[in-house]
Amino acid sequence: MINIVLADDEHLVRGAIAALLGLEGDLEVVAQVGRGDQVVDAVHEHGAQVAVLDIEMPGATGLETAQRLRTSAPDCGIVILTSFGRPGYLRRALAAGARGFLAKDAPVEQLAGAIRKVHEGGRYIDTELAAAAMAGGESPLTDRETEVLRAASDGASVSRTAARLHLSEGTVRNYLSNAIGKTQTDNRMAAIRTAQDMGWL
């Protein structure tokens, strides 16, 4: 039996996935959580061998959670589910330690197969998502430009963004200007949207 922790902030979606996986004879969802920051504790408490994570969750994203699991529960396989076919997400998920990556609307048989493969130490990557990731190319943004865009993504002013990152306002303006140029947009909010759409943030 493969013990699974399922993390998704949409209660109905989470319940449906758990019910469908429960019909598989060798899979058991031992815990369901609605926040990314609850996953690590649930994995340890229930001895889960695989964590199935939605990307967008409160508390911590699926990508952030994957990084935490890689450190605190390295033997736990990680499968990322995404509603967004953003090219950068696949690269970031693999870098975070995920070995499975597929669309949220994939058939349950596909998800079950991905869980088994990851549990055995292999990888399972949705072919369409992989193709989109390859077509999207690498992020042109530096780590610092990415950090500044992410800090400004809630509409924060330059001064507030600078305070959050302990940088000068002039430095933040420079990073934002560079990011606007690299994303070929007209302003910082457009740069943020483009970077989010590409999965770079």
Side-chain angles (χ1 to χ4, degrees):
M1 187 67 72
I2 302 172
N3 292 334
I4 302 160
V5 165
L6 176 60
D8 192 307
D9 63 328
E10 296 180 59
H11 184 76
L12 286 174
V13 172
R14 188 174 71 237
I17 292 172
L20 290 169
L21 289 176
L23 299 175
E24 302 288 322
D26 59 338
L27 305 180
E28 182 178 0
V29 177
V30 293
Q32 299 179 45
V33 297
R35 296 175 54 90
D37 53 7
Q38 297 171 332
V39 172
V40 172
D41 287 344
V43 165
H44 287 297
E45 180 181 346
H46 297 278
Q49 297 146 306
V50 176
V52 177
L53 312 174
D54 186 22
I55 280 193
E56 298 291 342
M57 292 186 289
T61 68
L63 300 177
E64 292 166 342
T65 302
Q67 289 175 323
R68 293 173 188 173
L69 282 173
R70 184 173 61 175
T71 302
S72 64
D75 293 333
C76 181
I78 301 166
V79 176
I80 297 282
L81 295 180
T82 179
S83 302
F84 312 99
R86 296 173 179 169
Y89 275 168
L90 175 56
R91 286 189 182 86
R92 290 170 57 202
L94 295 176
R99 296 202 308 274
F101 192 85
L102 65 161
K104 216 177 195 179
D105 60 357
V108 70
E109 296 82 9
Q110 192 176 350
L111 175 57
I115 290 168
R116 292 184 187 107
K117 194 159 187 180
V118 165
H119 177 251
E120 292 165 1
R123 288 188 190 276
Y124 187 98
I125 299 171
D126 180 278
T127 52
E128 288 187 19
L129 295 174
M134 291 179 70
E138 295 283 350
S139 171
L141 304 171
T142 65
D143 289 345
R144 202 55 137 155
E145 289 160 0
T146 302
E147 183 182 24
V148 169
L149 281 185
R150 190 175 289 123
S153 63
D154 61 354
S157 65
V158 168
S159 60
R160 182 150 181 78
T161 301
R164 285 176 178 171
L165 299 176
H166 307 290
L167 298 171
S168 72
E169 291 183 25
T171 299
V172 167
R173 284 194 186 91
N174 286 339
Y175 284 128
L176 289 172
S177 177
N178 291 344
I180 289 166
K182 289 179 179 180
T183 55
Q184 300 178 1
T185 52
D186 297 325
N187 56 61
R188 64 188 169 129
M189 292 312 295
I192 289 165
R193 280 194 300 275
T194 295
Q196 287 174 334
D197 288 345
M198 293 300 292
W200 295 336
L201 293 189

